[in-house]
Amino acid sequence: MARLDANKFETPTPVQAAAIPPALEGRDVLATAQTGTGKTLSYLIPIVEMMQKAEGRGAVALILLPTRELAMQVEQSFKMVRSTSQQSVALVVGGMAERPQIEAIRRGARLIVATPGRLEDYLKRKMVRLDQIKILVLDEVDRMLDMGFQPAIQRIAAMLPEVRQTLCYSATLEGAIQDVARKYLKNPARIEIGSVLKPAENVELRTFEVEADKKQELLEHLLEAEEGSFLVFVRTKHGADRVARRLVRSGWSATQIHGDRSQAQRNAALRSFSTGHHRVLVATDVAARGIDVANVAQVINFDMPKMVEDFVHRVGRTGRASAHGIASTFASPAERGDLRKIERTLSLQMKRFRVRSADLAVPPAEAAAATAA
């Protein structure tokens, strides 16, 4: 309780209020909840409680996540809420030095936070034992399956004790995810937080109908007129580099994150964005899966997302923890159909603005008044 107080965790979020009691009773939990709902704490608290009673040394809890960025965030959150530093943690992820990971395991880490690929590699090399695991957490299961981790999860689960508690979190419960739930969960407490495919209500959704070659100009126009940090989504790595470079040339503090950047570069970009050193972070969807940055004022869909799920995932990066956020989607004439599909699927209508070249020369408040559809 003292650790929770110290970190200002005072009122549980809906997913925490629903998931923590059954988890503390030792029940399996199946929860549909999106990123930003406080789900990390809803499984870390039961893990810390269990660790206070568990004897011996070595891993008693395992958390599997789709990306190393997410794994690193969960490791940090655990360190914030654990009741003693004896409750040690090993981060097991690809793209980072092996030695510190292996040393943490050898020193008897009580919690392993891992991505499936690297953990499986260590298991094959007999560097880690999972025979004392009491709690298994599968977080963002839908993302792990999208990334092809199902066989790895199956092989890892086969090495765990039969008698254990399993907590499973996913943004959706379609097809293969139900198979995972049936396979690994026994009579779980079922928790549904909000609609699975629905942007948060405190995010204002706007659309700017703009020619493709005017998107960069519009982005800079909004940066000039509106306050706060901007998270800009583009479709390709090349596009992310291009948009970020142009912003820097125009005098904006911008950085980018995508699959071709090293883990150290990604970490540095995330850190400088979350501390406000860079005001703009340009990201591709894959790289952004693990981004959890507080206080993003505005999300910009510079390029249309490929899937409706990606739209929900992107706009969910703002308006977190009940703050107000804005998500602006730039739609060229060729992208109108994609825009309508998103609105139809999510049963919503975004506030529409038409942008002409002349509008980019006046302040957005006036331009918006003049061009609101």
Side-chain angles (χ1 to χ4, degrees):
M1 289 304 290
R3 298 298 306 139
L4 293 175
D5 279 350
N7 288 290
K8 304 278 190 291
F9 295 128
E10 286 152 9
T11 308
T13 66
V15 72
Q16 290 161 3
I20 292 171
L24 288 177
E25 287 167 16
R27 285 191 66 186
D28 286 1
V29 169
L30 175 57
T32 40
Q34 287 164 314
T35 311
T37 51
K39 62 191 167 75
T40 306
L41 214 55
S42 77
Y43 57 72
L44 286 179
I45 287 175
I47 286 173
V48 172
E49 281 285 309
M50 178 270 290
M51 280 182 178
Q52 295 187 134
K53 303 181 190 93
E55 292 171 1
R57 64 192 298 281
V60 289
L62 169 64
I63 301 170
L64 287 180
L65 298 131
T67 66
R68 56 190 162 215
E69 281 89 0
L70 269 175
M72 288 156 73
Q73 285 162 12
V74 169
E75 179 203 27
Q76 288 309 313
S77 299
F78 174 73
K79 286 177 175 174
M80 283 160 62
V81 299
R82 64 185 175 183
S83 50
T84 157
S85 58
Q86 308 313 139
Q87 294 168 348
S88 50
V89 55
L91 182 69
V92 173
V93 295
M96 292 174 77
E98 269 193 9
R99 183 182 285 175
Q101 302 183 27
I102 292 163
E103 281 174 0
I105 293 164
R106 286 201 181 123
R107 283 197 301 269
R110 303 298 266 158
L111 168 65
I112 293 175
V113 180
T115 50
R118 176 58 70 96
L119 180 60
E120 221 192 350
D121 174 40
Y122 286 5
L123 285 166
K124 280 181 190 148
R125 288 152 60 190
K126 305 245 181 318
M127 287 176 166
V128 63
R129 287 177 51 181
L130 302 176
D131 55 346
Q132 295 179 66
I133 296 291
K134 292 180 165 56
I135 297 182
L136 166 67
V137 177
L138 300 170
D139 194 3
E140 304 228 347
V141 175
D142 47 334
R143 296 280 170 212
M144 288 202 282
L145 299 189
D146 283 349
M147 293 164 79
F149 283 136
Q150 190 166 4
I153 293 169
Q154 199 166 335
R155 290 189 291 266
I156 291 164
M159 299 198 162
L160 302 176
E162 279 274 306
V163 178
R164 64 164 193 271
Q165 183 179 7
T166 305
L167 312 175
C168 186
Y169 293 78
S170 177
T172 64
L173 260 197
E174 291 156 8
I177 298 149
Q178 291 183 353
D179 297 342
V180 167
R182 270 196 298 272
K183 200 175 286 180
Y184 304 123
L185 300 170
K186 297 184 181 76
N187 184 30
R190 178 76 185 89
I191 293 155
E192 281 182 77
I193 301 300
S195 155
V196 169
L197 250 193
K198 189 163 168 254
E201 280 165 17
N202 42 342
V203 176
E204 179 190 336
L205 300 173
R206 317 188 296 193
T207 299
F208 291 87
E209 293 183 7
V210 60
E211 294 294 335
D213 62 354
K214 293 285 181 226
K215 286 186 178 184
Q216 184 85 20
E217 224 175 305
L218 174 58
L219 172 59
E220 293 187 30
H221 183 61
L222 291 176
L223 277 165
E224 207 158 299
E226 298 181 0
E227 293 178 350
S229 56
F230 276 52
L231 177 52
V232 179
F233 283 101
V234 292
R235 240 182 208 186
T236 66
K237 302 168 196 174
H238 175 65
D241 284 334
R242 190 176 61 239
V243 171
R245 266 201 307 269
R246 281 188 186 169
L247 287 172
V248 171
R249 271 206 304 272
S250 299
W252 301 103
S253 58
T255 184
Q256 67 270 44
I257 181 169
H258 55 65
D260 276 356
R261 303 204 84 195
S262 71
Q263 189 57 42
Q265 286 173 316
R266 290 196 209 188
N267 293 351
L270 263 180
R271 203 166 35 247
S272 69
F273 180 61
S274 59
T275 55
H277 180 67
H278 281 105
R279 184 182 171 201
V280 187
L281 178 63
V282 186
T284 55
D285 284 303
V286 172
R289 294 259 154 87
I291 293 177
D292 187 2
V293 176
N295 310 320
V296 174
Q298 192 159 161
V299 163
I300 303 283
N301 290 311
F302 191 93
D303 292 330
M304 276 290 194
K306 285 194 181 79
M307 292 154 62
V308 177
E309 285 87 346
D310 288 333
F311 176 84
V312 174
H313 186 75
R314 287 175 176 192
V315 305
R317 307 286 108 195
T318 184
R320 295 165 86 75
S322 77
H324 175 75
I326 297 172
S328 301
T329 300
F330 295 179
S332 68
E335 293 170 320
R336 273 187 206 144
D338 296 338
L339 186 66
R340 276 199 289 273
K341 184 183 163 201
I342 288 171
E343 290 184 320
R344 243 192 345 265
T345 308
L346 298 174
S347 312
L348 54 81
Q349 191 153 16
M350 300 182 225
K351 210 183 281 180
R352 260 189 182 63
F353 301 99
R354 262 188 214 101
V355 181
R356 298 179 297 269
S357 296
D359 298 329
L360 296 175
V362 298
E366 294 166 32
T371 59

